[in-house]
Amino acid sequence: MFNKVTADILRMLPPVKGVDIERMPQLLSKVYAHIVGLKTKYEVGILEFEAEEIGDDYRTLSELAFTLELYLESGKFEEKQNAIAYVAAMSHKLMDKLKTRQSEALDTDAIPADVAAVLMFIVGGYIADAEELANRITRNEGESDAGWQLKMCISLLAKGKLKELLEIPEARLEVGDLELYAQELLWIQLTVGIKAFANKLLGGEGEDWQQYVRSVIQLATFKDEETGYRFDFVGVSRLGHLLLMAMNVLEHHSLLRGIRPYLITPHHYELILHKIVQRPYLWQNHINAIEQGFLKAGVSSVITFPTGAGKSTLLELKILQHVASGGQVVYLVPTHALEYQVKGMMEHLLQIEEYKDISLGKEFTTEEDDEPVKVMTPERCSTLLALKPSAFEGVTLVVMDEFHIIGEDGHRSLGAMYCLVSLLSTVPDADFVLSSAMVENGKEMSEWIADITGRTCLNLSMAWKPTSQLQGCVVYPFDRCLELRKLALQDKQNRGNRKWPSSNLRKRLTATPYCLFSLQNTWKSDKMADYYLTPVLDHDVTIGVNSSWNLIGNRNQVAKELAKKFSALGMKIIVFVENPVQANSLVKQLDGEIGLQSYPVTLQSNIKSIYEEFGNANCTYIKDEMGAVPHHSLLLPEERHVIETLFRGKHDIMVATATLAQGVNLPADVVLIAGEDRYDVNKDGRGLMDAHEILNAAGRAGRAGFRSQGAAILVSNSVIGIQNNELTDAWFSLKKNIFSKGDNCLMVNDPLGKFMEEAELSKEQKLVLMKLNLAGENERRILSKSLYAFQLRKRKKETDEFLEKMVHLSSQYGEVGRDTLLELSLKSGINRQLLEDFYHWLNGSKADRASTVIDLLKLYCCWLFERPVALKELLIYESTLEQMLKLFGDEQELNVSLIRKLYAVLKQYVMGCDLQTIGASFDERKNDPYLTQTRKFVIKVMPELSYAFSVLAMVHIQVLKEFYLLEEDIPMIVKNFATYLKEGVTSEDMLRFKTERRMMRVEAHRRFKE
């Protein structure tokens, strides 16, 4: 459960009677697993666990907390202070999960356990845990204003809400006996000290906060020598000591303190203060990175922190550093969903009212935004590098987020790697920061970047993170599994020649599910003492059976039952399934079995706009009342935003596809992964998912500051049996192939190296060769900077063979400089003869008279009417054409009829027709109300079509140069046609109107006309 760094901290404790310190990580993990298991045995309203079931755990935690608090107060183990404080606080937190305790008031002799735990988490350096626990601090009935004010200040301090803390008004004193009056004066003095400290963290000047706290500690024990009167405020004294330790730690973790040596300009200072208001503290891994020189100019980094370890914070600080010094930043993200998300982050970070380039339609145009941070996909970046390298002048920082994509299987990895290598060649003086939780060979990657840039590149691979995931999988009693197999065998014999198991058999295949949790962060141990078996449901579930009468896990249905149970207990659950169809199906089933929630009024305008876009509220995944919410690749960005907002609110179950796991950053107590295999198109069969995909999904359990502990449970499609600490083979396969690996489980290899192995080149490889050919004299320099060339040099091997073969291959794809069309061909990857044909056709078609977007669309489609096969050449990926043919009907061919249908659809889209109207052109299934085919067209095909038509627009520009004296006189509708097409607008004014107001397409058309 605990990462290696935290586990090592837990083992630093001094001796505690009756506790094996070496097994402290397993002890606390076992208690949490016990809690997860026990909670599923009790219905809502009966959550007080039976005494005999929690007795041992509760006593152990109580003794541990009491002993460690004494150690902490004694000051004898100062070198182990962090470990002592963290374990004591964690013990309190787990005790609360076992048995909820009433809110306590500040008292003369004691302080509330939750307040003490918050401060001890801070002392331990686990600020996210403190923030989570601080949210639970409430006012005790009868508590005085001064006492409650102090508790509020401690809560807000832990949560980093410093401005809100400073606005708390002065408390009204209770005038009672002398001791009560003195006690409240001391509490107020501590409050004043906390406010002085908060002011300092925000960059203010003022009195020394420590003097207030130290004076309280001193005054908490008072003796009048003349009268002999004496009192000891033990609780106040203890609180003062804890506050002193906690605020010293927070000062060390202060964002302003960490960044101050690197502040460049007054504007930089303003931006940092803006970020401090949002989150004023750094985590220890952030501090370590900064101390190693992460923020220094000229220092690059490869960050492989685990999922949820705060990589984004470091990226933001580095970006601020470069923007403040007048540099520009290129921020590469693998998907449009992340592009949209990152642009929103940049708005807040840079205090930009509105990110001007929120349109995704510029993917394949030469138009560029003027923002200091250019957020784009590698495909967009490669296009700009080829078409307009001047766009990268002034770039001083390149960030590649989720950089493991350069080593994944599939066509996108080659383009992403070539983009990165091209940037290393184009902006060699820039700092490079590569970030991913999945990469195993981070050290090699940092050595590569250092070798290419000739400057320092840090390998930031600290395994620490502020959240802990308890990972396990569903298992069943082995005896019951044998019984079910016998029932299946008997049914097969009874069925004779019939091909399917009987419905009676399916009803009888039931068993009670258990979960086998690992008590260590990874499943490396073979000792059963490092695992914990617990029931996870209080009733049987139905096991599946396939056509061969073999038992299967019935993963989606079992995951559904688990989700319902955990949801009933007030937990947040994400269920990961294989594809959008399964996600929608499971959501529909859950809606019929759990309580429905309505959406908040604040989302009403967003949802109304989505309804208008579709033309029918029933076509969206957002209903007036919903139980579970879906999250998959067929959601429009606006739908995704609403659904994520709903999940953050009242809706407790999200059903998502595992391929979107990296884009889900939402609080979850439990993650359920329905199956470890999926259909593989290349193999035409099912295959095991990559370990990093499953572990990335599992990493969604827990979120810093909200739910620092979480559970990830795999519901395998195999029926895993357990008895007497023995498991069936399927469990050992999961252990070996997935859960023994940890987050950093993907080895990045250079896809450029595959050119040395493959006889037949793909279209994507040919495109890279064309771009290499275009580089001319720089071709060898670019290739020599590749990871593959670096690996050859590292192994003391010559790179000549690699370079010669690549140069030879690229030479087969044209010569640079013959004419503009050849250059455009090489840049875009489109056959030169095709572009020349379009060029001459335009010259004879009065191309200068196209005055509207619709005119242009019709003009380009008229050319395609005469040669439909040209569309295949214009589309980069063959899969896009295949998908388009399916959308218009399985029997459809690439002919003039299809082009006419395509023109009609594009015209409707640009003119602002709703998706239901557009969907009439597609082969939508009658029982599919969600317009799945239309969604695929808008989300997946339109970006490719935008590219195809943008290439035609570029040829058009060359033709128009003969009609216009100055290039700037060429109409904007031609220059920016791809953007208009993708965004579905008819003019530059409408595009600006739409983007400035963040409206959807149909709403923009309606309101623009109004």
Side-chain angles (χ1 to χ4, degrees):
M1 175 175 174
F2 296 99
N3 60 75
K4 184 180 183 302
V5 175
T6 302
D8 289 343
I9 289 172
L10 295 177
R11 297 189 186 98
M12 289 173 57
L13 293 177
V16 177
K17 184 179 179 181
V19 177
D20 183 353
I21 300 301
E22 277 299 308
R23 289 189 60 79
M24 181 59 67
Q26 289 93 324
L27 169 65
L28 296 178
S29 299
K30 184 175 181 179
V31 172
Y32 187 70
H34 197 190
I35 291 167
V36 172
L38 282 175
K39 278 201 170 186
T40 62
K41 294 177 64 177
Y42 297 88
E43 298 298 334
V44 177
I46 321 175
L47 293 180
E48 286 296 323
F49 304 146
E50 297 175 8
E52 62 269 21
E53 291 189 278
I54 68 166
D56 289 344
D57 286 345
Y58 199 86
R59 278 191 296 273
T60 299
L61 292 172
S62 181
E63 291 171 5
L64 193 59
F66 178 74
T67 303
L68 293 176
E69 285 174 42
L70 288 178
Y71 285 163
L72 194 63
E73 291 175 28
S74 72
K76 293 181 180 179
F77 300 97
E78 191 172 344
E79 75 283 358
K80 298 182 177 182
Q81 173 180 290
N82 290 6
I84 292 170
Y86 175 64
V87 178
M90 180 60 72
S91 298
H92 277 294
K93 184 176 181 180
L94 293 175
M95 286 163 68
D96 275 340
K97 287 181 179 291
L98 282 168
K99 188 174 182 180
T100 304
R101 294 177 284 191
Q102 295 295 320
S103 174
E104 303 171 83
L106 284 171
D107 188 73
T108 306
D109 298 321
I111 58 175
D114 53 359
V115 173
V118 165
L119 294 175
M120 286 189 290
F121 268 131
I122 294 173
V123 175
Y126 284 74
I127 297 170
D129 286 88
E131 181 182 353
E132 178 186 351
L133 210 56
N135 287 312
R136 303 179 192 174
I137 293 178
T138 57
R139 185 168 188 171
N140 179 265
E141 186 178 348
E143 190 164 37
S144 70
D145 287 347
W148 171 233
Q149 184 193 68
L150 179 54
K151 284 171 65 174
M152 273 198 299
C153 282
I154 293 171
S155 174
L156 293 172
L157 181 68
K159 290 187 285 187
K161 296 183 177 180
L162 304 182
K163 279 199 168 182
E164 192 175 328
L165 190 161
L166 291 175
E167 291 168 0
I168 292 179
E170 187 175 335
R172 178 175 55 87
L173 280 171
E174 297 284 348
V175 180
D177 60 39
L178 179 61
E179 287 195 15
L180 176 60
Y181 186 70
Q183 175 183 270
E184 297 218 335
L185 283 174
L186 295 176
W187 285 344
I188 290 175
Q189 187 82 339
L190 288 176
T191 299
V192 172
I194 293 174
K195 286 188 174 184
F197 178 67
N199 186 57
K200 181 179 179 181
L201 293 181
L202 288 171
E205 299 294 333
E207 299 171 280
D208 180 10
W209 63 269
Q210 288 196 9
Q211 68 177 346
Y212 293 103
V213 182
R214 292 188 186 280
S215 66
V216 168
I217 295 172
Q218 185 179 0
L219 291 170
T221 301
F222 174 78
K223 182 178 180 181
D224 189 323
E225 297 296 341
E226 293 184 9
T227 63
Y229 181 78
R230 173 190 178 94
F231 61 78
D232 292 309
F233 290 158
V234 178
V236 176
S237 177
R238 182 181 169 221
L239 181 59
H241 279 104
L242 278 176
L243 272 171
L244 191 62
M245 287 188 287
M247 290 196 285
N248 278 324
V249 171
L250 288 179
E251 188 170 36
H252 175 69
H253 284 260
S254 164
L255 171 56
L256 185 58
R257 175 184 176 275
I259 199 77
R260 193 182 292 278
Y262 302 96
L263 288 175
I264 298 170
T265 63
H267 180 54
H268 190 194
Y269 186 73
E270 291 173 7
L271 291 173
I272 286 296
L273 288 181
H274 174 68
K275 180 160 180 60
I276 287 172
V277 170
Q278 302 168 26
R279 187 162 295 277
Y281 310 125
L282 296 171
W283 293 338
Q284 189 56 52
N285 53 354
H286 301 149
I287 295 171
N288 291 349
I290 292 172
E291 288 177 346
Q292 291 180 59
F294 174 77
L295 293 178
K296 289 181 179 178
V299 173
S300 297
S301 300
V302 173
I303 309 174
T304 56
F305 291 169
T307 301
K311 295 183 289 295
S312 296
T313 296
L314 283 179
L315 296 181
E316 289 176 357
L317 294 179
K318 186 80 171 180
I319 288 168
L320 285 178
Q321 192 76 14
H322 281 261
V323 171
S325 60
Q328 291 189 343
V329 179
V330 171
Y331 196 123
L332 300 174
V333 290
T335 65
H336 286 310
L338 282 178
E339 182 180 3
Y340 189 83
Q341 179 179 314
V342 170
K343 285 180 176 179
M345 289 166 48
M346 291 302 107
E347 287 181 14
H348 293 293
L349 182 68
L350 303 175
Q351 299 186 70
I352 300 172
E353 287 186 13
E354 192 168 308
Y355 211 97
K356 296 177 183 176
D357 189 29
I358 62 169
S359 159
L360 301 183
K362 293 188 178 181
E363 180 73 17
F364 300 106
T365 70
T366 57
E367 294 298 310
E368 57 176 303
D369 62 83
D370 58 357
E371 299 295 345
V373 181
K374 303 175 190 295
V375 185
M376 62 184 80
T377 61
E379 290 86 354
R380 161 72 172 148
C381 185
S382 291
T383 302
L384 266 183
L385 281 166
L387 298 175
K388 197 172 183 180
S390 61
F392 296 87
E393 293 176 3
V395 170
T396 60
L397 173 64
V398 174
V399 174
M400 179 174 264
D401 206 356
E402 306 291 353
F403 81 93
H404 59 267
I405 63 167
I406 63 179
E408 287 185 323
D409 292 332
H411 62 266
R412 296 185 66 239
S413 63
L414 179 60
M417 177 59 89
Y418 183 75
C419 172
L420 178 57
V421 175
S422 298
L423 284 168
L424 284 165
S425 179
T426 305
V427 286
D429 296 328
D431 293 347
F432 286 78
V433 179
L434 313 184
S435 172
S436 171
M438 300 288 106
V439 174
E440 180 180 347
N441 55 329
K443 184 174 186 295
E444 181 183 42
M445 297 296 291
S446 63
E447 291 172 348
W448 168 49
I449 299 297
D451 179 76
I452 299 305
T453 61
R455 302 185 303 275
T456 300
C457 182
L458 303 175
N459 172 36
L460 301 176
S461 58
M462 186 177 180
W464 179 90
K465 64 178 179 178
T467 58
S468 302
Q469 282 82 37
L470 189 66
Q471 297 177 355
C473 72
V474 171
V475 297
Y476 300 91
F478 187 72
D479 287 347
R480 182 57 178 163
C481 293
L482 288 178
E483 292 174 9
L484 298 182
R485 287 192 178 96
K486 288 178 182 178
L487 288 174
L489 181 61
Q490 184 63 50
D491 186 76
K492 183 178 182 180
Q493 293 173 348
N494 295 340
R495 298 284 284 173
N497 294 328
R498 282 172 285 192
K499 296 181 179 180
W500 294 97
S502 67
S503 58
N504 182 53
L505 171 66
R506 296 177 189 277
K507 294 177 183 177
R508 298 173 65 191
L509 298 180
T510 60
T512 303
Y514 288 73
C515 187
L516 185 66
F517 285 113
S518 172
L519 301 181
Q520 295 185 333
N521 192 41
T522 55
W523 299 12
K524 291 187 177 179
S525 174
D526 292 323
K527 299 176 182 177
M528 284 308 297
D530 291 326
Y531 299 87
Y532 181 74
L533 183 68
T534 181
V536 284
L537 280 179
D538 55 359
H539 59 80
D540 286 357
V541 295
T542 302
I543 301 299
V545 60
N546 61 21
S547 58
S548 300
W549 277 267
N550 293 321
L551 300 181
I552 55 176
N554 203 13
R555 51 191 172 181
N556 288 348
Q557 292 304 306
V558 174
K560 182 190 75 172
E561 292 301 313
L562 290 171
K564 285 164 54 180
K565 189 65 179 183
F566 286 121
S567 173
L569 296 168
M571 297 183 180
K572 291 280 187 182
I573 302 97
I574 299 178
V575 184
F576 285 111
V577 296
E578 182 176 349
N579 55 51
V581 174
Q582 292 182 9
N584 297 332
S585 174
L586 209 56
V587 165
K588 187 174 181 180
Q589 293 176 48
L590 284 163
D591 281 354
E593 300 174 24
I594 63 176
L596 303 181
Q597 301 282 349
S598 57
Y599 60 78
V601 177
T602 52
L603 290 175
Q604 189 169 355
S605 62
N606 303 71
I607 294 173
K608 183 181 178 182
S609 180
I610 292 170
Y611 288 169
E612 187 175 8
E613 183 73 15
F614 281 94
N616 187 334
N618 293 327
C619 295
T620 78
Y621 292 106
I622 302 166
K623 311 300 178 186
D624 289 340
E625 290 187 322
M626 303 174 69
V629 294
H631 193 286
H632 51 67
S633 60
L634 292 179
L635 296 175
L636 298 185
E638 294 82 3
E639 280 183 299
R640 182 179 295 112
H641 167 72
V642 168
I643 281 173
E644 290 179 356
T645 303
L646 292 176
F647 184 68
R648 290 188 184 98
K650 295 181 181 179
H651 295 71
D652 292 333
I653 302 177
M654 171 180 280
V655 185
T657 50
T659 51
L660 282 185
Q662 69 182 23
V664 181
N665 186 23
L666 299 165
D669 295 292
V670 180
V671 163
L672 301 169
I673 305 170
E676 69 278 19
D677 62 335
R678 67 178 174 198
Y679 181 75
D680 189 327
V681 178
N682 297 323
K683 297 178 181 177
D684 194 24
R686 303 199 69 80
L688 191 68
M689 290 172 65
D690 291 335
H692 75 271
E693 292 179 284
I694 293 178
L695 293 173
N696 198 16
R700 304 300 115 184
R703 185 184 177 193
F706 295 91
R707 291 163 173 83
S708 53
Q709 278 78 44
I713 301 174
L714 173 68
V715 184
S716 174
N717 212 36
S718 300
V719 178
I720 300 173
I722 185 170
Q723 186 167 324
N724 297 328
N725 293 338
E726 294 185 3
L727 291 143
T728 49
D729 291 343
W731 183 86
F732 289 96
S733 175
L734 293 175
K735 176 179 181 292
K736 176 183 177 182
N737 296 314
I738 298 172
F739 290 105
S740 63
K741 298 181 180 295
D743 276 1
N744 303 138
C745 56
L746 180 65
M747 180 69 70
V748 171
N749 291 307
D750 193 339
L752 288 170
K754 292 184 179 180
F755 282 90
M756 302 297 291
E757 306 165 1
E758 297 178 5
E760 186 174 346
L761 299 180
S762 66
K763 192 170 183 179
E764 292 78 21
Q765 288 176 317
K766 291 176 183 177
L767 178 57
V768 166
L769 291 172
M770 288 180 178
K771 290 180 178 179
L772 276 170
N773 183 281
L774 181 66
E777 296 178 356
N778 294 324
E779 183 177 5
R780 287 178 178 272
R781 182 163 60 88
I782 292 173
L783 290 169
S784 66
K785 292 179 182 290
S786 68
L787 176 62
Y788 185 71
F790 168 74
Q791 289 171 331
L792 289 175
R793 293 192 296 270
K794 193 176 177 181
R795 295 196 297 267
K796 307 297 183 184
K797 292 185 177 182
E798 294 294 331
T799 61
D800 291 348
E801 182 184 356
F802 167 61
L803 296 176
E804 291 300 328
K805 181 168 184 177
M806 295 296 290
V807 170
H808 172 70
L809 288 172
S810 68
S811 67
Q812 301 174 33
Y813 291 89
E815 299 174 3
V816 179
R818 191 183 303 170
D819 57 36
T820 304
L821 289 181
L822 178 59
E823 187 172 310
L824 177 58
S825 170
L826 293 173
K827 289 174 178 177
S828 63
I830 307 301
N831 181 278
R832 184 202 182 281
Q833 188 61 47
L834 187 73
L835 300 182
E836 187 174 1
D837 178 81
F838 182 59
Y839 179 88
H840 292 304
W841 183 88
L842 277 177
N843 268 317
S845 61
K846 300 179 180 179
D848 60 316
R849 298 186 182 180
S851 59
T852 68
V853 173
I854 298 300
D855 287 345
L856 275 184
L857 178 63
K858 184 177 181 179
L859 178 69
Y860 298 163
C861 285
C862 282
W863 178 69
L864 289 173
F865 291 156
E866 298 177 13
R867 50 189 66 69
V869 72
L871 183 60
K872 182 178 180 180
E873 291 294 324
L874 289 170
L875 295 170
I876 288 294
Y877 305 119
E878 295 178 5
S879 59
T880 306
L881 179 61
E882 294 172 3
Q883 191 167 50
M884 194 184 306
L885 292 174
K886 290 179 181 178
L887 291 176
F888 285 107
D890 292 337
E891 303 301 321
Q892 186 69 53
E893 297 179 358
L894 182 53
N895 53 28
V896 65
S897 174
L898 182 135
I899 301 299
R900 291 189 186 281
K901 289 180 180 180
L902 179 62
Y903 167 69
V905 167
L906 293 176
K907 183 178 179 181
Q908 288 178 318
Y909 191 80
V910 172
M911 292 300 293
C913 293
D914 61 60
L915 296 184
Q916 188 176 45
T917 301
I918 293 172
S921 301
F922 297 116
D923 187 27
E924 295 284 7
R925 296 179 181 177
K926 293 181 180 179
N927 61 347
D928 180 10
Y930 297 111
L931 302 179
T932 297
Q933 304 307 314
T934 309
R935 287 172 178 272
K936 288 180 179 178
F937 180 80
V938 172
I939 296 170
K940 299 180 179 181
V941 176
M942 276 300 291
E944 283 294 307
L945 286 173
S946 173
Y947 173 81
F949 281 98
S950 73
V951 174
L952 298 182
M954 291 174 205
V955 177
H956 196 172
I957 290 172
Q958 298 305 314
V959 173
L960 291 178
K961 285 181 178 180
E962 300 176 12
F963 294 92
Y964 296 94
L965 294 175
L966 300 174
E967 186 172 341
E968 52 263 34
D969 293 332
I970 295 174
M972 185 61 71
I973 60 166
V974 182
K975 290 182 177 180
N976 210 19
F977 179 72
T979 304
Y980 302 144
L981 188 63
K982 175 64 174 65
E983 291 301 307
V985 296
T986 56
S987 67
E988 183 72 15
D989 288 340
M990 185 182 288
L991 176 65
R992 191 177 299 110
F993 180 81
K994 177 179 184 290
T995 55
E996 286 178 354
R997 291 162 178 79
R998 297 179 175 275
M999 288 183 292
M1000 297 188 73
R1001 182 180 55 90
V1002 177
E1003 182 188 8
H1005 275 267
R1006 175 178 57 79
R1007 291 180 58 182
F1008 187 76
K1009 291 174 184 176
E1010 293 173 354

